[in-house]
Amino acid sequence: MDGWIENARMIVESAAAIVPEDGGLDRVRALRFASPGYSPEVFAEIGTMGWLQLAVPERDGGAGLGMRECASLLVALGRGLLPEPVVSALLAQRLTAGRADTDILDGRTVMVAAWQDRTDSLDFAGPAGGDILKLHVDGAAGAGAFAVLAEQGVAIVRAGEPGVRVETAALQDGTFEGTLTLSAGNPEWLPVADADLALDEAILSHSAYLLGLSERGIEITLDYLRVRKQFDQPIGSFQALQHRASELKIQLELCRAAIFRTAARLDAGLSADRRAAAVSRVKTRAAGLAMLMAREAVQMHGAIGTTEEADIGLVVAKAISQANRYGSARLHRNRHFDASERSAA
Amino acid sequence: MDGWIENARMIVESAAAIVPEDGGLDRVRALRFASPGYSPEVFAEIGTMGWLQLAVPERDGGAGLGMRECASLLVALGRGLLPEPVVSALLAQRLTAGRADTDILDGRTVMVAAWQDRTDSLDFAGPAGGDILKLHVDGAAGAGAFAVLAEQGVAIVRAGEPGVRVETAALQDGTFEGTLTLSAGNPEWLPVADADLALDEAILSHSAYLLGLSERGIEITLDYLRVRKQFDQPIGSFQALQHRASELKIQLELCRAAIFRTAARLDAGLSADRRAAAVSRVKTRAAGLAMLMAREAVQMHGAIGTTEEADIGLVVAKAISQANRYGSARLHRNRHFDASERSAA
Amino acid sequence: MTQHQAAGAFPAQSLPDFEAMSDEDFRQTVRRFVEAKYPDIPRFSQHRLRWDEVKPWYGVLSAEGWICPTWPRAFGGMGLGPGKHLILIEEFERFGCARVHDIGPVMLGPLLMKFGTQAQKDFYLPRILSGEDIWAQGYSEPDAGSDLASLRTRAVRDGDAWVIDGQKTWTTLGMDANRIFILARTDPSVKKQAGISFLLVPMDAPGVTVRPIRNLEGHAEFCEVFFDAVRVPLDSLVGGENEGWAIAKALLGHERVFIGAPRLSGNALARLRYLAEARDVFDDPALQDRYTRLKLDVEDLSDLFEAYVDKLRGGETIGPDVAILKIFQSELYQRISDEMMELAGATAGMREPEDGDPRKHAAGTWLAARPTTIFGGSTEVMRNMMARYVLDLPTR
Amino acid sequence: MTQHQAAGAFPAQSLPDFEAMSDEDFRQTVRRFVEAKYPDIPRFSQHRLRWDEVKPWYGVLSAEGWICPTWPRAFGGMGLGPGKHLILIEEFERFGCARVHDIGPVMLGPLLMKFGTQAQKDFYLPRILSGEDIWAQGYSEPDAGSDLASLRTRAVRDGDAWVIDGQKTWTTLGMDANRIFILARTDPSVKKQAGISFLLVPMDAPGVTVRPIRNLEGHAEFCEVFFDAVRVPLDSLVGGENEGWAIAKALLGHERVFIGAPRLSGNALARLRYLAEARDVFDDPALQDRYTRLKLDVEDLSDLFEAYVDKLRGGETIGPDVAILKIFQSELYQRISDEMMELAGATAGMREPEDGDPRKHAAGTWLAARPTTIFGGSTEVMRNMMARYVLDLPTR
């Protein structure tokens, strides 16, 4: 039963090539606010490592690994504040399931998912006719292709094609999201087996990214508490901060358990309602954890936590930029309630 | 403008006759769980001191004092955990405005208000015909008379009269509340000038009682923090407890300011919506304060805080019994929102 | 002193090898057991039953050989590992079985097996199995609650006896016990943890006085125990002289995990919902939102709890981070009870359950939730410990 | 170094006796003033404007004699008491006036009036009034933030000069200042608060280096200031040698109350509602419930704030409990900003305001709220102080 642990270990070890083990954030810092906000070369490297096909079934040419392996990888990438849009790319590959061109399959061309119809909503069906508008497209600035999800299915469109318009806007973490308008009369719509499942997997993956990010932020903060002195004492010896730090650890471990046990349940198979309830539970915790970490990291670091010079500043900016993507805690609390009432009915 | 301060000072000084300055709780302890849960003799003494007519207009034979004086008195009584049902009695006198018999006016016979139609509701109109059922009547066990409030007006009925039935139940603080059923065909209904105003005044008065009670509980807890030692240190020197204790003080002062400034506004006159919004704001804070105090008093005292032997146990039992009377925080948050939206419209 | 039945009143029988069963088979076995054998005593009680009430259930468990689930079969236990034990607990709780007086089975038995002499094992273990001995734990003192190192009860060697003077408090159901194990200072010249010994004391020894402590619900679950020149034989010492601290802090194995089980919070959440539905306000979206926050906490706690149970099953060592479970569980239980109080409105403060229905009893839940953050290591002390041993933060 | 205008560029005029006006008359006077005279610079900015942006407004205030509202009229101020000053602040904020570089008017001016020599007053006060001198405050150091007593910057007397070596940080808008007042250790042989002096330093003195610190929004509101063998004349000392601590902790009068004013929270609450309505979700009862909790906090804070202002008006002394206002205000501001972030959904993390509308800018509000619990006494230090000086709890 525990083959996944070995798989996950290997994947996480290989991740060190992209997110260095020494934890240096120089690459991350350098890419901020310079479009596209990430490195297409590193993205291609990610493709070379096979990660983009991680969750794609073997019959579609993917690795067919489960959500536990996927979550393990995303935790490692979150720890490294990876700016490349991996969750969105995984979703795009999952939706198109091996049907894209080779340059997309292997990551030389960045393909991200364009699915979201409205802010803080998981609706993706879009309008059945007329222009298609997709919001909050991660990594849009550097993407050469988009997997556009709508009621009709999924369409692979290329940046620069007629009728494809992308406007980008910077996030606080220095990456850029995009708004995609597809006014081309009729792209080729491919059928999608289970878009809801794919989206739930993306939500879970993004939660794992937030877990890794939060873990990193908490580690940096604990390090600071050990060395920073006030009133001739390391501030980590002050009981009020100790008790708050213990709460960070509690929330971190709750989030980790929720993610990996939910991933295991998804791998075993769940009804749509139970899956929605479980995944929304996870995303609520992960978003809450990231924001709690951000608040406490700033407060415990004091003024330095509000600057962009310190590593913790990068972590905080990443947290506030990413916590609500794939749905805010508010959205997911409501979704959890509705889905669990339905599955209990 | 500050004549009220002198009035309030005199009233509070006179309160020492009922709630002793040394703060001893022996009388309070002794009355618990022995019906009626309070002393009719002390109630009569309260009547002799003129408090029952405090808020009744001068034209109706009362003292015609304002809500600030009234709140000052109730804070003092709350500090003493007074078990006599003064808020309900004040409401009853306010509603009947000098029209009761002398034994009721001067407190020899206890008259309390029976107004509440449903649990956690401020509805009092009752059914226009048929039996009248009034819930959560404070001090019902020892009451000789009830001021029954309904759509028709207010009726003064005597305990033991035909058609008047009272069932009592103990509260955690050792007092007894009652359910009053009035099946007599037609009591004499007296007109009530402004029942909503009278009820708002009672809510504010009860909030002041909770403020005094909370203040007392916080003082006892702070005393305990100063003397109780663990790990060879007074536990009040531990920073985590210090920070939580400072929060108690913050909430206490917010509640005090809200009560007295709202009382001043009521004395100056407010529209019904503004008054409802303000009074509900106060009650939300007071109930929240009392419950916060109860939680922290138990936790900071440790095991002793869960016993009935310690004074703090009496305070905690009083808080959990009284916090929700005249409406829970949940009710008053909703009422505040509705009333302030109306008054802003 | 409560009367106890004669030795051997509950003779144990030979048992099947439970660990060899599948989890599901074992679960069914337990379920049939409680359905067939649970006596006519209260179920789903929110407070601990006294000995006179719970004795029939202790008797059944003893007679069937089920009273000490985790003891090795060779010692008369069921020989359950953590996974099976959890199933037993779950099924007992599903049925609402009362908690028996379990200090002997849970605490003293394992300690004697590890630290006791052969004579101590031979004498005391059977008496726990039979119910002849009901034990109390005497650790806490008026000035040493979470801080056991500063306890003041003293034991002085005088000829063939230890002479004990002092006071213990917060002794759970001490009025029902006929024996108590205590920590006493045997070397006052050293400080703190050193110089403390572990002693076994009969409650009917001359000089022992018991005074019940009533809690806010009027129940006497705890008592004070006074020792006035109490003499016990020298062989009442467990482990070495001045080595009692090591015994007291000896790991309780998987009990440390189970104390953070999500059931108290889960039960409270069900009562919150029940009350809301009874009041016809569960359709309030604001309430649903707060309910959902609490529900998510309970479910995430369940996931974390199961992760620890999996570790136990896999034979992994449980570290000090297991404190997370207890801290979060107990605070969550309290938060749920706070919400229940607000929802109950004016009935929140009732002494007896509304309509005689314990599931609506907000004050009962609120009060029952209070000691969980105080006993078994207060939340404050556990957070201190986490800071030091889990987070590696500096001490002052 | 930023260029400053020549002395006397903003000649003050004779002013009416504002304190003699009714509150309502004064409010109307202020309202007419800002409507007529506010220059064409940003209003309602969530971050501090730099000198080049805000200079026209400083110029207007200076020219009209309104730049130092609380200074006595004899010193060139408006001579306002706390009540009138609050009205002025309220009206400035209602209009959305930018905050000028006010360290000179608010902090240094009053300190010089109390502790400065006649020569210091005669030289420096007019230069603050005219805007010729823009001051920065140099208290915080990399290893002494809330803990000023352990600062390391040293000043050594050398002939006719103090020679300063060290580093200051979190100097607000220090890049825009031409002068800075600092705390420096002048007697290293004594500990802590003793041995610290208060010195005035020109920013263009040889050896002074300024480095801006960019915050998470990319703004440089703060900077570091390095002192490398900086020489200043002996008369740069304010107060006695080694008596700087008393000056630094000298009461700021009613500024201590105003720092806890409910306006930041109130403005944030209005933005929360605006965003919710713009998103068409304000009719969600769960959101209304959370909004109402925050609204009640803002209103109760307003009542407490007004109670303190009433005390000021009545001439009462404000005690250390005034910290309540700042602690609660800043934490409330943050809680509102947290709610705004959750509500904003995916746009919470946008760098620029959604639709260019600053009222929808959740991240802007969230980031602006962070420093309020850190600067001006961190919440942690203020709670320590409350425990000691308000609650009379023991220290370790």
Side-chain angles (χ1 to χ4, degrees):
Chain A
M1 86 178 237
D2 283 352
W4 79 270
I5 292 179
E6 182 56 20
N7 288 336
R9 196 185 55 76
M10 288 193 305
I11 293 165
V12 169
E13 276 177 13
S14 70
I18 307 293
V19 282
E21 292 206 52
D22 71 3
L25 296 176
D26 292 347
R27 186 181 81 88
V28 172
R29 188 186 307 278
L31 289 165
R32 296 164 70 243
F33 299 113
S35 183
Y38 60 93
S39 159
E41 291 74 30
V42 169
F43 189 92
E45 195 181 339
I46 287 171
T48 309
M49 299 175 79
W51 294 352
L52 296 179
Q53 306 303 324
L54 208 63
V56 175
E58 287 181 83
R59 66 171 180 277
D60 297 321
L65 292 178
M67 284 312 296
R68 286 172 293 188
E69 292 90 333
C70 205
S72 301
L73 173 63
L74 266 298
V75 169
L77 301 183
R79 286 186 55 85
L81 280 64
L82 190 86
E84 284 71 27
V86 168
V87 172
S88 187
L90 284 171
L91 174 59
Q93 298 284 353
R94 182 84 168 77
L95 291 169
T96 55
R99 291 168 292 185
D101 296 335
T102 312
D103 63 319
I104 290 176
L105 288 175
D106 64 16
R108 275 172 297 152
T109 296
V110 176
M111 176 173 75
V112 292
W115 59 272
Q116 189 165 1
D117 286 345
R118 292 181 296 121
T119 295
D120 218 23
S121 155
L122 299 181
D123 294 349
F124 59 77
D131 280 8
I132 287 178
L133 189 72
K134 294 293 176 182
L135 309 181
H136 308 304
V137 180
D138 287 317
F146 300 90
V148 182
L149 182 64
E151 195 174 12
Q152 301 91 323
V154 65
I156 300 171
V157 303
R158 297 269 179 174
E161 272 180 25
V164 175
R165 200 170 73 250
V166 177
E167 287 174 27
T168 63
L171 301 181
Q172 292 283 345
D173 62 2
T175 66
F176 296 82
E177 64 151 50
T179 300
L180 179 140
T181 311
L182 189 60
S183 50
N186 239 334
E188 184 190 354
W189 291 106
L190 308 171
V192 179
D194 193 340
D196 289 310
L197 171 60
L199 192 54
D200 270 335
E201 290 180 359
I203 296 167
L204 186 58
S205 298
H206 186 64
S207 300
Y209 183 92
L210 292 174
L211 170 65
L213 174 70
S214 302
E215 186 178 63
R216 181 70 179 274
I218 291 170
E219 282 174 12
I220 294 174
T221 301
L222 289 172
D223 280 342
Y224 188 78
L225 293 181
R226 291 183 196 110
V227 299
R228 168 74 176 172
K229 287 193 175 187
Q230 266 192 359
F231 307 107
D232 298 330
Q233 301 279 347
I235 61 175
S237 71
F238 293 123
Q239 195 194 31
L241 293 189
Q242 290 186 339
H243 283 202
R244 280 158 50 190
S246 72
E247 187 62 28
L248 289 173
K249 175 68 173 172
I250 289 170
Q251 295 293 329
L252 183 71
E253 296 309 322
L254 286 168
C255 186
R256 193 192 315 277
I259 284 177
F260 282 94
R261 297 190 81 81
T262 295
R265 290 187 195 107
L266 256 65
D267 288 344
L270 278 178
S271 72
D273 280 337
R274 285 182 187 279
R275 189 184 70 224
V279 167
S280 283
R281 166 159 70 84
V282 162
K283 181 59 171 56
T284 306
R285 177 73 51 187
L289 171 66
M291 292 306 291
L292 173 70
M293 177 278 293
R295 289 195 299 272
E296 288 288 38
V298 170
Q299 188 64 22
M300 291 183 180
H301 275 81
I304 193 82
T306 65
T307 68
E308 58 177 14
E309 300 181 4
D311 280 357
I312 195 64
L314 299 185
V315 175
V316 168
K318 182 65 80 181
I320 65 175
S321 303
Q322 297 299 327
N324 284 347
R325 301 191 83 79
Y326 298 91
S328 69
R330 176 171 176 270
L331 180 157
H332 283 290
R333 275 196 310 277
N334 291 338
R335 183 171 180 252
H336 173 88
F337 180 81
D338 293 340
S340 48
E341 293 294 304
R342 278 197 310 270
S343 70
Chain B
M1 85 176 239
D2 284 351
W4 78 272
I5 292 180
E6 182 57 19
N7 288 335
R9 195 184 58 74
M10 288 193 304
I11 293 165
V12 170
E13 277 178 11
S14 68
I18 307 293
V19 283
E21 292 206 52
D22 70 5
L25 297 176
D26 292 345
R27 186 181 82 88
V28 172
R29 189 185 306 277
L31 289 166
R32 294 163 72 243
F33 299 114
S35 181
Y38 60 93
S39 159
E41 292 73 30
V42 169
F43 189 92
E45 194 180 340
I46 286 170
T48 309
M49 298 174 81
W51 294 352
L52 297 178
Q53 308 302 325
L54 208 63
V56 174
E58 286 181 83
R59 64 169 183 279
D60 298 321
L65 293 179
M67 285 312 297
R68 286 173 293 188
E69 291 90 334
C70 206
S72 301
L73 174 62
L74 266 299
V75 169
L77 301 182
R79 286 186 55 87
L81 281 63
L82 190 87
E84 285 71 27
V86 168
V87 172
S88 187
L90 284 171
L91 174 58
Q93 298 284 353
R94 183 83 168 78
L95 291 168
T96 55
R99 291 166 294 185
D101 296 335
T102 313
D103 64 318
I104 291 176
L105 288 176
D106 63 17
R108 275 172 297 152
T109 296
V110 176
M111 178 172 73
V112 293
W115 59 273
Q116 191 164 359
D117 287 344
R118 293 181 297 120
T119 296
D120 218 23
S121 154
L122 299 181
D123 293 349
F124 59 77
D131 280 7
I132 288 177
L133 187 74
K134 292 294 176 181
L135 308 181
H136 307 305
V137 180
D138 286 318
F146 300 89
V148 182
L149 182 63
E151 196 175 11
Q152 300 90 324
V154 65
I156 301 171
V157 302
R158 296 269 179 173
E161 270 180 28
V164 175
R165 199 169 76 248
V166 177
E167 286 173 29
T168 62
L171 301 181
Q172 293 282 345
D173 63 1
T175 65
F176 296 81
E177 65 151 48
T179 301
L180 180 140
T181 313
L182 189 59
S183 51
N186 238 333
E188 184 190 356
W189 293 106
L190 308 171
V192 179
D194 193 340
D196 289 311
L197 171 60
L199 193 53
D200 270 336
E201 289 181 359
I203 296 167
L204 186 58
S205 298
H206 186 64
S207 300
Y209 183 92
L210 293 174
L211 170 64
L213 174 70
S214 302
E215 186 178 64
R216 181 70 177 274
I218 291 169
E219 282 174 13
I220 293 173
T221 301
L222 289 173
D223 280 344
Y224 188 78
L225 293 180
R226 291 183 195 110
V227 299
R228 168 76 177 172
K229 288 193 174 185
Q230 267 191 359
F231 307 106
D232 298 330
Q233 300 280 347
I235 60 175
S237 71
F238 293 123
Q239 195 193 32
L241 293 189
Q242 290 187 339
H243 284 201
R244 281 157 49 190
S246 72
E247 187 62 29
L248 289 174
K249 175 68 174 172
I250 290 170
Q251 294 293 328
L252 184 72
E253 296 310 321
L254 286 168
C255 185
R256 194 193 314 278
I259 284 178
F260 282 93
R261 297 189 82 81
T262 296
R265 290 186 196 107
L266 256 65
D267 289 343
L270 278 178
S271 73
D273 280 337
R274 286 183 186 278
R275 191 184 68 225
V279 166
S280 283
R281 166 159 70 85
V282 163
K283 181 60 172 55
T284 307
R285 177 73 52 190
L289 171 65
M291 292 305 292
L292 173 70
M293 177 277 294
R295 288 194 300 272
E296 288 288 38
V298 170
Q299 188 64 22
M300 290 183 180
H301 275 82
I304 193 79
T306 65
T307 69
E308 58 176 14
E309 300 182 5
D311 280 356
I312 195 65
L314 300 185
V315 175
V316 169
K318 182 64 78 182
I320 65 175
S321 304
Q322 297 298 326
N324 284 347
R325 301 191 81 80
Y326 299 91
S328 69
R330 177 171 175 269
L331 180 156
H332 284 290
R333 275 197 310 277
N334 290 338
R335 183 171 181 252
H336 173 87
F337 180 80
D338 293 341
S340 48
E341 293 294 304
R342 280 195 310 271
S343 70
Chain C
M1 187 63 44
T2 309
Q3 292 303 310
H4 292 278
Q5 59 294 329
F10 307 133
Q13 304 182 338
S14 70
L15 296 172
D17 182 355
F18 297 114
E19 282 293 303
M21 290 183 185
S22 75
D23 280 359
E24 189 49 33
D25 283 351
F26 181 67
R27 190 178 292 280
Q28 292 304 327
T29 302
V30 177
R31 200 170 292 183
R32 284 192 304 269
F33 179 95
V34 292
E35 284 170 3
K37 297 184 189 282
Y38 193 75
D40 182 25
I41 66 170
R43 290 163 60 184
F44 296 106
S45 173
Q46 276 205 52
H47 61 267
R48 292 291 295 271
L49 299 189
R50 294 291 302 272
W51 176 247
D52 286 344
E53 299 168 293
V54 84
K55 180 178 161 180
W57 180 221
Y58 199 112
V60 166
L61 293 168
S62 175
E64 301 288 337
W66 284 44
I67 191 64
C68 294
T70 62
W71 291 16
R73 294 161 60 85
F75 282 99
M78 294 173 80
L80 301 188
K84 293 285 193 303
H85 190 201
L86 184 63
I87 291 169
L88 179 116
I89 290 171
E90 284 170 355
E91 290 302 318
F92 276 27
E93 278 166 358
R94 174 204 295 264
F95 194 79
C97 299
R99 182 171 165 194
V100 296
H101 290 38
D102 56 6
I103 298 278
V106 171
M107 297 199 62
L108 186 65
L111 287 178
L112 285 181
M113 289 176 214
K114 190 164 179 186
F115 299 101
T117 63
Q118 191 60 45
Q120 285 170 334
K121 290 182 217 174
D122 290 345
F123 182 76
Y124 289 113
L125 296 184
R127 297 166 70 94
I128 292 171
L129 288 163
S130 69
E132 186 175 0
D133 281 353
I134 300 300
W135 283 90
Q137 182 208 56
Y139 286 178
S140 293
E141 297 186 3
D143 286 313
S146 291
D147 171 26
L148 288 182
S150 50
L151 53 84
R152 294 183 184 175
T153 296
R154 291 177 56 168
V156 177
R157 194 199 297 257
D158 178 27
D160 61 349
W162 291 100
V163 182
I164 305 166
D165 283 279
Q167 178 187 354
K168 296 293 177 181
T169 191
W170 311 120
T171 306
T172 306
L173 298 174
M175 309 78 67
D176 291 348
N178 64 325
R179 294 184 188 272
I180 184 169
F181 55 89
I182 66 167
L183 291 177
R185 193 164 291 284
T186 40
D187 183 352
S189 70
V190 293
K191 273 238 149 182
K192 296 283 187 185
Q193 289 88 341
I196 289 173
S197 297
F198 189 102
L199 291 164
L200 308 175
V201 186
M203 295 288 268
D204 59 359
V208 175
T209 315
V210 173
R211 194 181 73 81
I213 304 171
R214 291 195 177 276
N215 66 17
L216 285 175
E217 291 179 279
H219 302 302
E221 275 187 21
F222 302 107
C223 65
E224 293 180 294
V225 184
F226 299 87
F227 300 87
D228 181 11
V230 175
R231 295 181 73 86
V232 296
L234 290 180
D235 65 1
S236 305
L237 180 74
V238 179
E241 188 175 338
N242 299 331
E243 288 172 8
W245 182 254
I247 297 178
K249 72 191 260 293
L251 303 183
L252 289 172
H254 60 265
E255 297 292 337
R256 291 197 307 153
V257 173
F258 289 178
I259 201 175
R263 68 181 169 81
L264 290 173
S265 296
N267 292 345
L269 187 74
R271 287 197 293 277
L272 171 61
R273 180 168 185 157
Y274 179 85
L275 179 63
E277 289 178 342
R279 285 285 169 81
D280 231 2
V281 294
F282 191 67
D283 58 354
D284 170 9
L287 181 64
Q288 285 173 357
D289 187 61
R290 297 196 296 279
Y291 167 81
T292 303
R293 288 170 193 257
L294 297 167
K295 175 173 183 283
L296 293 172
D297 281 345
V298 171
E299 294 192 13
D300 287 352
L301 172 64
S302 299
D303 275 357
L304 185 58
F305 176 71
E306 283 177 25
Y308 275 101
V309 173
D310 275 357
K311 282 190 186 179
L312 281 178
R313 284 200 183 98
E316 282 186 59
T317 309
I318 303 297
D321 52 294
V322 71
I324 290 172
L325 290 176
K326 198 232 171 197
I327 294 172
F328 191 74
Q329 195 296 126
S330 54
E331 293 193 338
L332 172 57
Y333 184 19
Q334 294 187 346
R335 284 187 283 124
I336 296 169
S337 78
D338 294 338
E339 186 67 38
M340 207 172 160
M341 287 295 271
E342 183 170 300
L343 183 65
T347 67
M350 304 302 289
R351 181 75 161 176
E352 302 298 331
E354 187 180 345
D355 308 326
D357 183 347
R359 288 173 294 178
K360 290 185 187 169
H361 195 28
T365 302
W366 193 88
L367 288 167
R370 294 307 114 185
T372 60
T373 54
I374 296 171
F375 290 109
S378 73
T379 294
E380 288 78 9
V381 168
M382 297 192 90
R383 285 190 191 268
N384 292 348
M385 294 294 160
M386 271 191 71
R388 183 161 181 178
Y389 297 111
V390 180
L391 305 179
D392 193 24
L393 289 174
T395 50
R396 296 188 71 173
Chain D
M1 188 61 44
T2 308
Q3 292 303 311
H4 292 277
Q5 58 295 330
F10 307 133
Q13 303 183 339
S14 70
L15 296 172
D17 182 356
F18 297 114
E19 282 294 302
M21 289 184 184
S22 75
D23 280 0
E24 190 48 35
D25 283 352
F26 180 68
R27 189 178 294 279
Q28 293 304 327
T29 302
V30 177
R31 201 169 291 182
R32 284 192 302 270
F33 179 95
V34 292
E35 284 169 3
K37 297 183 187 283
Y38 192 76
D40 183 23
I41 66 170
R43 290 164 59 184
F44 296 106
S45 173
Q46 276 204 51
H47 62 268
R48 295 288 298 269
L49 300 189
R50 295 291 303 271
W51 176 247
D52 286 343
E53 298 169 293
V54 83
K55 180 178 162 180
W57 180 222
Y58 199 113
V60 166
L61 292 169
S62 174
E64 301 289 337
W66 283 45
I67 191 63
C68 295
T70 64
W71 290 17
R73 294 161 62 85
F75 283 98
M78 293 172 82
L80 301 187
K84 291 288 194 302
H85 189 201
L86 184 64
I87 291 169
L88 179 116
I89 291 170
E90 284 170 355
E91 291 302 318
F92 275 29
E93 279 167 358
R94 173 202 295 265
F95 194 79
C97 299
R99 183 170 164 197
V100 296
H101 289 39
D102 55 8
I103 297 278
V106 171
M107 297 199 65
L108 186 65
L111 287 178
L112 285 181
M113 288 177 213
K114 191 164 176 185
F115 300 100
T117 63
Q118 192 61 45
Q120 285 170 334
K121 291 182 216 175
D122 289 346
F123 182 77
Y124 289 113
L125 296 184
R127 295 165 71 95
I128 293 171
L129 287 164
S130 69
E132 184 174 2
D133 281 353
I134 299 301
W135 283 89
Q137 182 208 55
Y139 286 178
S140 293
E141 297 187 2
D143 287 312
S146 291
D147 172 25
L148 288 182
S150 50
L151 52 84
R152 293 183 184 175
T153 296
R154 291 177 57 167
V156 178
R157 194 200 296 257
D158 177 30
D160 61 350
W162 291 100
V163 183
I164 305 166
D165 283 279
Q167 178 188 354
K168 296 293 176 180
T169 190
W170 311 119
T171 306
T172 306
L173 298 173
M175 310 78 68
D176 291 347
N178 63 325
R179 295 185 188 271
I180 184 170
F181 54 89
I182 66 167
L183 291 177
R185 194 164 289 285
T186 38
D187 183 352
S189 70
V190 293
K191 273 237 148 183
K192 297 284 189 184
Q193 290 86 341
I196 290 174
S197 296
F198 189 103
L199 291 164
L200 308 175
V201 186
M203 295 288 267
D204 58 0
V208 176
T209 317
V210 174
R211 194 182 73 82
I213 304 171
R214 289 196 179 275
N215 67 15
L216 285 173
E217 292 179 278
H219 302 302
E221 274 187 23
F222 301 108
C223 65
E224 293 180 293
V225 184
F226 299 87
F227 300 86
D228 181 13
V230 174
R231 296 181 72 88
V232 296
L234 289 181
D235 65 1
S236 304
L237 180 74
V238 179
E241 187 174 340
N242 299 330
E243 288 173 9
W245 182 253
I247 296 178
K249 72 191 261 293
L251 304 182
L252 289 173
H254 61 265
E255 297 292 337
R256 291 198 308 153
V257 174
F258 289 0
I259 200 174
R263 67 182 169 82
L264 290 173
S265 297
N267 291 346
L269 187 75
R271 287 196 294 275
L272 171 61
R273 180 166 188 159
Y274 179 85
L275 179 63
E277 289 178 341
R279 285 285 169 81
D280 230 1
V281 293
F282 191 66
D283 58 355
D284 170 9
L287 181 64
Q288 284 174 358
D289 187 60
R290 297 197 295 278
Y291 168 81
T292 302
R293 287 170 195 257
L294 297 167
K295 175 172 182 282
L296 292 172
D297 281 344
V298 171
E299 294 192 13
D300 287 352
L301 172 65
S302 298
D303 275 356
L304 185 58
F305 176 71
E306 283 177 26
Y308 276 101
V309 172
D310 275 357
K311 281 189 187 179
L312 281 178
R313 284 200 184 99
E316 283 185 57
T317 309
I318 302 298
D321 53 292
V322 71
I324 290 173
L325 290 176
K326 197 230 173 198
I327 294 172
F328 191 75
Q329 195 296 125
S330 54
E331 293 194 337
L332 172 57
Y333 183 20
Q334 293 187 345
R335 284 187 284 126
I336 297 169
S337 77
D338 294 338
E339 186 67 40
M340 208 172 159
M341 288 294 271
E342 183 170 301
L343 183 65
T347 66
M350 305 301 289
R351 182 76 161 175
E352 302 298 332
E354 187 181 345
D355 309 326
D357 183 345
R359 286 173 297 178
K360 290 186 188 170
H361 195 28
T365 302
W366 193 88
L367 289 167
R370 296 306 113 185
T372 60
T373 55
I374 296 170
F375 290 108
S378 74
T379 294
E380 287 77 9
V381 168
M382 296 192 91
R383 285 190 191 270
N384 292 348
M385 295 293 160
M386 269 191 73
R388 183 162 182 177
Y389 297 111
V390 180
L391 305 179
D392 194 25
L393 289 175
T395 50
R396 294 188 72 175

